[in-house]
Amino acid sequence: MTSRVKLLVFLLSTAVTGLLLVLQFTNRFHLTVLTSCACEKCLSEDSLLSHRMNLSVEPFLSAKTNLSEEAFKWWQRLQNEKRDFQFFKKVVNNVFEIFPSSPNPRKPHPDSCRTCAVVGNSVNLKGSHYGQLIDFQDVVIRMNSAKIKGYEEDVGTKTTHHVMYPESAVDLHNSTHLVLFPFKIMDLEWLIKAFTTGFYGISYAPVKTKIRANKDLVMVINPAFMKYSHESWLEKKGAYPSTGFMTFVFALHICDEVHVFGFGADSDGNWSHYFELLRNKKLKTGQHPGHHEYAVLEQLANEKIIKFYKGV
Ligand code: C5P
């Protein structure tokens, strides 16, 4: 073989080896991207969600959260908070001297499928027989004064996370995460006091003085996450999103697969509950954009991004 031919053979084989290496690398790369979870479909990879979902918005408030002044101002208006940003930061620091400084939710993993049930309080759960289906999910998130006793067949028995604010607080089992949605600074003060000396302040509705729950499982939602839920998921419709809707967006961020139960007004357009008779016949959906929230859930269900169980 002449030296020219030898050179050609050498160059060719180097090029082929290089090509093979590149192909192998891209193949591997694809594999890891496509299997960030072990479900049939992983929410974080759904391209139909990409224009709304912003995974960089941190759902949890922590000692390290760097809340922008703009987000604080948005949050301040929700329930007419008069105290300023400096005071807010001081109270946040006090909160995380007592509660876990940053919650540690299960992270996405190629070998696991984190399925979640978000259970709203709609009357449409009555007679639904969804209990088993709800309990079958890894994470079951309930909210406010949700009841279980006497409703097991329809709503299940498991609660891994219970969302609340002071005016809707209930005692929890030792293994359930208390997820606080703060709407004003008093809510953060309440959290501290309800676990320690007792809270004796006044609000627009009666507030529990003390709460029975596991202090090590407390999580607090980041006001910036609430703002993002309103802006990105509801196009700023209504005064601000309902607790149930923000809980739903929260689930999209911590789960690979989301199953939604207990959302939807009754035939008169009121947000009545499965566990009590409606007293205020003019309730409608309060100051929340209930129709729009429902439409968003329906659209995501039609696009097969979530499973939406509409009850009876
Ligand atoms: O009434 P409550 O706020 O406790 O209900 C929890 C959540 O469930 C609401 O914030 C709302 O998102 C949802 N809900 C609903 N339809 C109802 C009742 C409640 O969508 N009839």
Side-chain angles (χ1 to χ4, degrees):
M1 235 190 285
T2 65
S3 56
R4 248 199 211 168
V5 176
K6 271 187 192 161
L7 182 67
L8 200 67
V9 170
F10 172 76
L11 285 175
L12 259 175
S13 55
T14 315
V16 169
T17 316
L19 190 69
L20 284 174
L21 278 173
V22 167
L23 280 176
Q24 201 181 6
F25 176 76
T26 37
N27 197 23
R28 272 222 192 123
F29 181 68
H30 264 297
L31 274 178
T32 41
V33 167
L34 289 174
T35 56
S36 72
C37 84
C39 311
E40 219 174 285
K41 252 172 115 184
C42 311
L43 271 172
S44 63
E45 288 163 13
D46 207 311
S47 57
L48 288 170
L49 277 184
S50 57
H51 64 293
R52 283 184 154 154
M53 187 102 135
N54 182 352
L55 289 173
S56 73
V57 185
E58 176 54 57
F60 301 107
L61 186 67
S62 78
K64 293 194 205 99
T65 304
N66 194 3
L67 188 71
S68 71
E69 195 135 11
E70 191 204 350
F72 176 74
K73 282 200 174 123
W74 176 87
W75 182 79
Q76 223 179 1
R77 283 193 291 268
L78 301 185
Q79 291 189 6
N80 204 15
E81 177 58 63
K82 293 280 185 288
R83 293 178 286 180
D84 67 14
F85 198 21
Q86 288 315 313
F87 188 75
F88 168 82
K89 289 186 200 165
K90 208 176 100 200
V91 178
V92 170
N93 282 334
N94 296 342
V95 164
F96 295 108
E97 270 167 22
I98 299 184
F99 301 103
S101 57
S102 59
N104 201 6
R106 241 175 93 197
K107 296 269 183 294
H109 191 277
D111 294 337
S112 77
C113 173
R114 300 166 305 165
T115 70
C116 299
V118 180
V119 189
N121 287 331
S122 172
V123 68
N124 71 28
L125 284 170
K126 227 156 76 183
S128 66
H129 300 276
Y130 287 152
Q132 277 194 350
L133 191 53
I134 291 174
D135 283 347
F136 185 68
Q137 312 309 323
D138 302 317
V139 167
V140 177
I141 315 176
R142 301 184 195 270
M143 52 199 85
N144 301 339
S145 20
K147 307 256 183 305
I148 285 182
K149 203 162 181 288
Y151 303 93
E152 294 86 348
E153 179 89 27
D154 294 333
V155 305
T157 56
K158 176 170 161 183
T159 311
T160 61
H161 295 67
H162 198 116
V163 160
M164 63 178 77
Y165 42 87
E167 297 80 6
S168 75
V170 291
D171 290 331
L172 302 180
H173 189 269
N174 202 36
S175 63
T176 303
H177 287 274
L178 186 167
V179 184
L180 180 83
F181 270 74
F183 291 99
K184 50 192 174 321
I185 297 177
M186 188 209 89
D187 298 1
L188 298 167
E189 297 174 310
W190 170 81
L191 186 67
I192 298 173
K193 293 193 172 150
F195 274 92
T196 54
T197 55
F199 178 84
Y200 298 96
I202 290 173
S203 186
Y204 62 83
V207 171
K208 263 171 96 61
T209 310
K210 288 221 167 196
I211 190 155
R212 208 169 353 101
N214 187 337
K215 154 174 118 29
D216 298 327
L217 297 182
V218 167
M219 300 167 153
V220 183
I221 298 295
N222 181 1
F225 189 81
M226 298 161 85
K227 181 172 184 279
Y228 149 75
S229 303
H230 192 219
E231 295 178 349
S232 221
W233 289 89
L234 293 175
E235 292 97 30
K236 303 188 185 177
K237 293 211 171 61
Y240 58 98
S242 70
T243 305
F245 190 82
M246 289 191 279
T247 304
F248 164 69
V249 180
F250 168 67
L252 293 177
H253 279 244
I254 64 158
C255 314
D256 300 312
E257 195 177 286
V258 170
H259 300 250
V260 178
F261 304 85
F263 282 74
D266 62 22
S267 52
D268 295 325
N270 292 316
W271 266 354
S272 42
H273 296 146
Y274 65 86
F275 48 82
E276 64 190 357
L277 276 177
L278 181 70
R279 279 196 236 125
N280 173 9
K281 302 280 182 206
K282 291 190 180 146
L283 173 71
K284 298 297 174 196
T285 63
Q287 52 193 327
H288 306 300
H291 284 298
H292 191 63
E293 293 184 357
Y294 193 83
V296 171
L297 295 176
E298 274 194 314
Q299 191 197 335
L300 294 172
N302 288 340
E303 291 170 348
K304 308 232 176 311
I305 294 168
I306 59 162
K307 300 251 170 60
F308 185 21
Y309 305 85
K310 295 180 177 176
V312 286

